[in-house]
Coordinates of all heavy atoms in Angstrom, one line a residue:
M1 N -130.5 33.7 -23.6 CA -130.1 35.1 -23.2 C -130.5 36.1 -24.3 O -130.9 37.2 -24.0 CB -128.6 35.2 -23.1 CG -128.0 34.4 -21.9 SD -128.4 35.1 -20.3 CE -127.4 36.5 -20.3
N2 N -130.5 35.7 -25.6 CA -130.9 36.6 -26.6 C -132.3 37.1 -26.5 O -132.6 38.2 -26.9 CB -130.7 35.9 -28.0 CG -129.2 35.7 -28.3 OD1 -128.3 36.4 -27.7 ND2 -128.9 34.7 -29.1
N3 N -133.2 36.3 -26.0 CA -134.7 36.6 -25.9 C -135.0 37.5 -24.6 O -136.1 37.9 -24.5 CB -135.5 35.4 -25.9 CG -135.5 34.7 -27.3 OD1 -135.4 35.4 -28.3 ND2 -135.7 33.4 -27.3
L4 N -134.0 37.6 -23.7 CA -134.3 38.4 -22.5 C -134.8 39.8 -22.8 O -135.6 40.3 -22.1 CB -133.1 38.4 -21.6 CG -132.9 37.1 -20.7 CD1 -131.7 37.3 -19.8 CD2 -134.2 36.9 -19.9
A5 N -134.2 40.4 -23.8 CA -134.6 41.8 -24.2 C -136.0 41.9 -24.5 O -136.7 42.9 -24.2 CB -133.7 42.4 -25.3
N6 N -136.6 40.9 -25.2 CA -137.9 40.9 -25.7 C -138.9 40.3 -24.7 O -140.1 40.6 -24.6 CB -138.1 40.1 -27.0 CG -137.3 40.8 -28.1 OD1 -137.2 42.0 -28.2 ND2 -136.7 40.0 -29.0
F7 N -138.4 39.3 -23.9 CA -139.3 38.6 -22.9 C -138.6 38.5 -21.6 O -138.1 37.4 -21.1 CB -139.6 37.2 -23.4 CG -140.2 37.1 -24.7 CD1 -139.5 36.8 -25.9 CD2 -141.6 37.5 -24.9 CE1 -140.1 36.7 -27.1 CE2 -142.2 37.4 -26.1 CZ -141.4 37.0 -27.3
P8 N -138.4 39.6 -20.8 CA -137.6 39.6 -19.6 C -138.2 38.8 -18.5 O -137.4 38.3 -17.6 CB -137.5 41.1 -19.2 CG -138.7 41.7 -19.9 CD -138.9 40.9 -21.1
H9 N -139.5 38.5 -18.5 CA -140.1 37.8 -17.4 C -140.3 36.3 -17.9 O -141.1 35.6 -17.3 CB -141.4 38.4 -17.0 CG -141.2 39.6 -16.2 ND1 -141.3 40.9 -16.8 CD2 -140.9 39.9 -14.9 CE1 -141.1 41.8 -15.9 NE2 -140.8 41.2 -14.8
K10 N -139.6 35.9 -18.9 CA -139.7 34.5 -19.4 C -139.4 33.4 -18.4 O -140.1 32.4 -18.4 CB -138.8 34.4 -20.6 CG -138.8 33.0 -21.3 CD -137.8 33.0 -22.4 CE -137.8 31.6 -23.1 NZ -136.9 31.5 -24.2
F11 N -138.4 33.6 -17.6 CA -138.0 32.6 -16.6 C -138.7 32.8 -15.3 O -139.3 33.8 -15.0 CB -136.4 32.7 -16.5 CG -135.7 32.3 -17.8 CD1 -135.3 33.3 -18.6 CD2 -135.6 31.0 -18.2 CE1 -134.6 33.0 -19.8 CE2 -135.0 30.7 -19.4 CZ -134.5 31.7 -20.2
R12 N -138.6 31.8 -14.5 CA -139.3 31.7 -13.2 C -138.9 32.8 -12.2 O -137.7 33.2 -12.3 CB -139.2 30.4 -12.6 CG -137.7 30.1 -12.0 CD -137.6 28.8 -11.4 NE -136.3 28.7 -10.7 CZ -135.7 27.7 -10.3 NH1 -136.3 26.5 -10.5 NH2 -134.5 27.7 -9.7
P13 N -139.8 33.2 -11.4 CA -139.4 34.1 -10.3 C -138.3 33.4 -9.4 O -138.3 32.2 -9.2 CB -140.7 34.3 -9.5 CG -141.7 34.0 -10.5 CD -141.2 33.0 -11.3
S14 N -137.4 34.2 -8.9 CA -136.3 33.6 -8.1 C -136.8 32.9 -6.8 O -137.6 33.5 -6.1 CB -135.3 34.7 -7.8 OG -134.2 34.2 -7.1
V15 N -136.2 31.8 -6.6 CA -136.4 31.1 -5.3 C -135.5 31.7 -4.2 O -135.7 31.3 -3.0 CB -136.2 29.6 -5.4 CG1 -137.3 29.0 -6.4 CG2 -134.8 29.2 -5.8
H16 N -134.6 32.5 -4.6 CA -133.6 33.1 -3.6 C -134.1 34.5 -3.2 O -133.4 35.1 -2.3 CB -132.2 33.2 -4.3 CG -131.8 31.8 -4.8 ND1 -131.4 30.8 -4.0 CD2 -131.7 31.4 -6.1 CE1 -131.1 29.7 -4.7 NE2 -131.3 30.1 -6.0
N17 N -135.1 35.1 -3.8 CA -135.5 36.4 -3.5 C -137.1 36.5 -3.7 O -137.6 35.9 -4.6 CB -134.8 37.4 -4.5 CG -135.0 38.8 -4.1 OD1 -136.1 39.3 -3.9 ND2 -133.8 39.5 -4.0
E18 N -137.7 37.3 -2.9 CA -139.2 37.4 -3.0 C -139.7 38.5 -4.0 O -140.9 38.5 -4.3 CB -139.7 37.8 -1.6 CG -139.5 36.6 -0.6 CD -140.1 36.9 0.8 OE1 -140.9 37.9 0.9 OE2 -139.8 36.2 1.7
D19 N -138.8 39.3 -4.5 CA -139.2 40.3 -5.5 C -139.6 39.6 -6.8 O -138.8 38.8 -7.4 CB -138.0 41.2 -5.7 CG -138.3 42.4 -6.6 OD1 -139.4 42.4 -7.3 OD2 -137.5 43.4 -6.6
E20 N -140.7 40.0 -7.4 CA -141.2 39.4 -8.6 C -140.4 39.7 -9.8 O -140.4 39.0 -10.8 CB -142.7 39.9 -8.8 CG -143.4 39.2 -10.0 CD -143.7 37.7 -9.8 OE1 -143.8 37.3 -8.6 OE2 -143.9 37.0 -10.8
N21 N -139.6 40.8 -9.7 CA -138.7 41.2 -10.8 C -137.3 40.5 -10.8 O -136.5 40.7 -11.7 CB -138.6 42.7 -10.8 CG -139.9 43.4 -11.2 OD1 -140.5 42.9 -12.2 ND2 -140.2 44.4 -10.5
V22 N -137.1 39.8 -9.8 CA -135.8 39.0 -9.7 C -136.1 37.6 -10.2 O -137.1 36.9 -9.7 CB -135.2 38.9 -8.3 CG1 -134.0 38.1 -8.3 CG2 -134.9 40.3 -7.8
R23 N -135.4 37.2 -11.2 CA -135.7 35.9 -12.0 C -134.5 35.0 -11.9 O -133.3 35.4 -11.8 CB -136.0 36.2 -13.4 CG -137.2 37.1 -13.6 CD -138.4 36.3 -13.3 NE -139.6 37.1 -13.2 CZ -140.8 36.6 -13.5 NH1 -141.0 35.4 -13.9 NH2 -141.9 37.4 -13.3
D24 N -134.8 33.7 -12.1 CA -133.7 32.6 -12.2 C -133.8 32.0 -13.5 O -134.8 31.5 -14.0 CB -134.0 31.5 -11.2 CG -133.8 31.9 -9.7 OD1 -133.1 32.9 -9.5 OD2 -134.2 31.2 -8.8
M25 N -132.7 32.1 -14.2 CA -132.5 31.4 -15.5 C -131.5 30.2 -15.3 O -130.5 30.4 -14.7 CB -132.0 32.3 -16.6 CG -131.8 31.6 -17.9 SD -131.3 32.7 -19.2 CE -129.7 33.2 -18.7
I26 N -132.0 29.0 -15.6 CA -131.1 27.8 -15.4 C -130.5 27.5 -16.8 O -131.2 27.4 -17.8 CB -132.0 26.6 -15.0 CG1 -132.8 27.0 -13.8 CG2 -131.1 25.4 -14.7 CD1 -132.1 27.4 -12.6
F27 N -129.2 27.3 -16.8 CA -128.5 27.0 -18.1 C -127.3 26.1 -17.8 O -126.4 26.5 -17.0 CB -128.0 28.3 -18.7 CG -127.3 28.1 -20.1 CD1 -128.0 27.7 -21.2 CD2 -125.9 28.2 -20.1 CE1 -127.4 27.5 -22.4 CE2 -125.3 28.0 -21.3 CZ -126.0 27.7 -22.5
K28 N -127.3 24.9 -18.3 CA -126.2 23.9 -18.1 C -125.8 23.8 -16.7 O -124.6 23.7 -16.4 CB -125.1 24.3 -19.0 CG -125.4 24.2 -20.5 CD -124.2 24.4 -21.4 CE -124.5 24.2 -22.8 NZ -123.4 24.3 -23.7
G29 N -126.7 23.7 -15.8 CA -126.4 23.5 -14.4 C -126.1 24.8 -13.6 O -125.9 24.7 -12.4
Y30 N -126.1 25.9 -14.3 CA -125.8 27.1 -13.6 C -127.1 27.9 -13.5 O -128.0 27.8 -14.3 CB -124.9 28.0 -14.5 CG -123.4 27.5 -14.5 CD1 -123.0 26.6 -15.4 CD2 -122.5 28.0 -13.5 CE1 -121.7 26.1 -15.4 CE2 -121.2 27.5 -13.5 CZ -120.8 26.6 -14.4 OH -119.6 26.2 -14.4
T31 N -127.2 28.7 -12.4 CA -128.4 29.5 -12.2 C -127.9 31.0 -12.3 O -126.9 31.4 -11.7 CB -128.9 29.3 -10.8 OG1 -129.3 28.0 -10.6 CG2 -130.1 30.3 -10.5
I32 N -128.6 31.7 -13.2 CA -128.2 33.1 -13.4 C -129.4 33.9 -12.8 O -130.6 33.8 -13.3 CB -128.1 33.4 -14.9 CG1 -127.0 32.5 -15.5 CG2 -127.8 34.9 -15.2 CD1 -126.9 32.5 -17.0
V33 N -129.1 34.6 -11.8 CA -130.1 35.4 -11.1 C -130.0 36.9 -11.7 O -129.0 37.5 -11.7 CB -129.9 35.4 -9.6 CG1 -131.0 36.2 -8.9 CG2 -129.8 34.0 -9.1
Y34 N -131.2 37.3 -12.2 CA -131.1 38.7 -12.8 C -132.4 39.5 -12.4 O -133.4 39.0 -12.0 CB -131.1 38.6 -14.3 CG -132.3 38.0 -15.0 CD1 -133.3 38.8 -15.5 CD2 -132.4 36.6 -15.2 CE1 -134.4 38.2 -16.2 CE2 -133.4 36.0 -15.9 CZ -134.5 36.9 -16.3 OH -135.5 36.3 -17.0
L35 N -132.2 40.8 -12.4 CA -133.2 41.8 -12.0 C -133.8 42.5 -13.3 O -133.0 43.0 -14.1 CB -132.6 42.8 -11.1 CG -133.5 44.0 -10.7 CD1 -134.7 43.5 -9.9 CD2 -132.7 45.0 -9.9
V36 N -135.1 42.5 -13.4 CA -135.7 43.2 -14.5 C -136.2 44.5 -14.0 O -137.0 44.6 -13.1 CB -137.0 42.4 -15.0 CG1 -137.7 43.2 -16.1 CG2 -136.5 41.0 -15.5
E37 N -135.7 45.6 -14.6 CA -136.1 47.0 -14.3 C -136.8 47.6 -15.5 O -136.1 48.3 -16.3 CB -134.9 47.8 -13.8 CG -134.2 47.2 -12.6 CD -133.0 48.0 -12.2 OE1 -131.9 47.7 -12.9 OE2 -133.0 48.8 -11.3
I38 N -138.0 47.4 -15.7 CA -138.8 47.9 -16.8 C -138.7 49.4 -16.9 O -138.5 49.9 -18.0 CB -140.2 47.4 -16.8 CG1 -140.3 45.9 -16.9 CG2 -141.1 48.0 -17.9 CD1 -139.8 45.3 -18.2
D39 N -138.9 50.1 -15.8 CA -138.9 51.5 -15.8 C -137.6 52.1 -16.3 O -137.5 53.2 -16.9 CB -139.3 52.1 -14.5 CG -138.4 51.6 -13.3 OD1 -137.8 50.5 -13.5 OD2 -138.2 52.3 -12.3
K40 N -136.5 51.4 -16.1 CA -135.2 51.9 -16.5 C -134.7 51.2 -17.8 O -133.6 51.5 -18.3 CB -134.1 51.6 -15.5 CG -134.4 52.4 -14.2 CD -133.3 52.2 -13.2 CE -133.6 52.9 -11.9 NZ -132.6 52.6 -10.8
N41 N -135.6 50.3 -18.4 CA -135.3 49.6 -19.6 C -133.9 48.9 -19.4 O -133.1 49.0 -20.3 CB -135.3 50.6 -20.8 CG -135.4 49.8 -22.1 OD1 -136.0 48.7 -22.1 ND2 -134.9 50.3 -23.2
R42 N -133.8 48.1 -18.3 CA -132.5 47.5 -18.0 C -132.8 46.1 -17.4 O -133.7 45.9 -16.6 CB -131.8 48.4 -17.0 CG -130.5 47.9 -16.6 CD -129.6 48.8 -15.8 NE -130.3 49.4 -14.6 CZ -129.9 50.4 -13.9 NH1 -128.8 51.0 -14.3 NH2 -130.5 50.8 -12.9
I43 N -131.8 45.2 -17.7 CA -131.7 43.9 -17.0 C -130.3 43.8 -16.4 O -129.4 43.9 -17.1 CB -132.0 42.7 -18.0 CG1 -133.4 42.8 -18.6 CG2 -131.7 41.4 -17.4 CD1 -133.7 41.9 -19.7
S44 N -130.3 43.5 -15.1 CA -129.0 43.5 -14.4 C -128.8 42.0 -13.9 O -129.7 41.5 -13.2 CB -129.0 44.4 -13.2 OG -129.2 45.7 -13.6
I45 N -127.6 41.5 -14.2 CA -127.3 40.1 -13.6 C -126.8 40.3 -12.2 O -125.9 41.1 -11.9 CB -126.2 39.5 -14.5 CG1 -126.8 39.2 -15.9 CG2 -125.7 38.2 -13.8 CD1 -125.8 38.6 -16.9
L46 N -127.4 39.6 -11.3 CA -127.1 39.7 -9.9 C -126.1 38.7 -9.4 O -125.3 38.9 -8.5 CB -128.4 39.7 -9.0 CG -129.4 40.7 -9.4 CD1 -130.7 40.5 -8.5 CD2 -128.9 42.1 -9.1
D47 N -126.3 37.4 -9.9 CA -125.4 36.4 -9.5 C -125.4 35.2 -10.5 O -126.4 35.0 -11.2 CB -126.0 35.8 -8.2 CG -125.0 35.0 -7.4 OD1 -123.8 34.9 -7.8 OD2 -125.4 34.4 -6.3
I48 N -124.3 34.5 -10.6 CA -124.2 33.3 -11.4 C -123.6 32.3 -10.5 O -122.5 32.5 -10.0 CB -123.4 33.5 -12.7 CG1 -124.0 34.6 -13.5 CG2 -123.2 32.2 -13.4 CD1 -123.1 35.0 -14.7
F49 N -124.2 31.1 -10.4 CA -123.6 30.0 -9.6 C -124.1 28.7 -10.1 O -125.1 28.6 -10.7 CB -124.0 30.2 -8.1 CG -125.5 30.2 -7.8 CD1 -126.1 29.0 -7.5 CD2 -126.2 31.4 -7.8 CE1 -127.5 29.0 -7.3 CE2 -127.6 31.4 -7.5 CZ -128.2 30.2 -7.3
K50 N -123.3 27.7 -9.7 CA -123.6 26.3 -10.1 C -124.4 25.8 -8.9 O -124.0 26.0 -7.8 CB -122.3 25.5 -10.3 CG -122.6 24.2 -10.9 CD -121.5 23.7 -11.8 CE -121.7 22.4 -12.4 NZ -122.3 22.5 -13.7
W51 N -125.4 25.0 -9.1 CA -126.3 24.5 -8.1 C -125.6 23.8 -7.0 O -126.0 23.9 -5.8 CB -127.4 23.7 -8.7 CG -126.9 22.3 -9.2 CD1 -126.5 22.1 -10.4 CD2 -126.8 21.1 -8.4 NE1 -126.1 20.8 -10.5 CE2 -126.3 20.2 -9.3 CE3 -127.1 20.8 -7.1 CZ2 -126.1 18.8 -8.9 CZ3 -126.9 19.5 -6.7 CH2 -126.4 18.5 -7.6
I52 N -124.6 23.1 -7.3 CA -123.9 22.4 -6.2 C -123.1 23.3 -5.3 O -122.8 22.9 -4.1 CB -123.0 21.3 -6.8 CG1 -122.7 20.2 -5.9 CG2 -121.7 21.8 -7.4 CD1 -122.3 18.9 -6.5
D53 N -122.8 24.5 -5.7 CA -122.0 25.4 -4.9 C -122.8 26.1 -3.9 O -122.2 26.7 -2.9 CB -121.3 26.4 -5.8 CG -120.2 25.8 -6.8 OD1 -119.8 24.7 -6.4 OD2 -120.0 26.4 -7.8
K54 N -124.1 26.2 -4.0 CA -124.9 26.9 -3.1 C -125.5 26.1 -2.0 O -125.9 25.2 -1.8 CB -126.1 27.6 -3.8 CG -125.7 28.9 -4.5 CD -125.5 30.0 -3.5 CE -125.1 31.2 -4.3 NZ -125.0 32.4 -3.5

């Protein structure tokens, strides 16, 4: 998470959304879906879920 500010496109494009700026970060069995908004200098968390719950 600490590197997201410097490398917001580090993680894979989301398999749950077709937008290239929506990304999936996998951490300890959880998927954190976030949106990169370069023009607004912002990263927004859209969803956090455990893979078995979806």
Side-chain angles (χ1 to χ4, degrees):
M1 293 288 288
N2 293 334
N3 289 332
L4 278 181
N6 296 324
F7 304 105
H9 289 96
K10 176 179 179 178
F11 296 98
R12 71 179 187 196
S14 181
V15 296
H16 308 285
N17 193 307
E18 293 182 14
D19 187 346
E20 187 69 22
N21 290 317
V22 177
R23 299 288 170 149
D24 289 344
M25 178 174 67
I26 310 299
F27 181 74
K28 294 188 178 184
Y30 288 88
T31 300
I32 302 166
V33 182
Y34 65 94
L35 173 64
V36 178
E37 297 176 285
I38 297 293
D39 57 331
K40 295 181 182 177
N41 200 28
R42 176 169 60 190
I43 296 172
S44 303
I45 295 177
L46 303 176
D47 198 5
I48 300 174
F49 60 89
K50 192 149 180 94
W51 68 271
I52 202 159
D53 295 336
K54 283 281 179 177

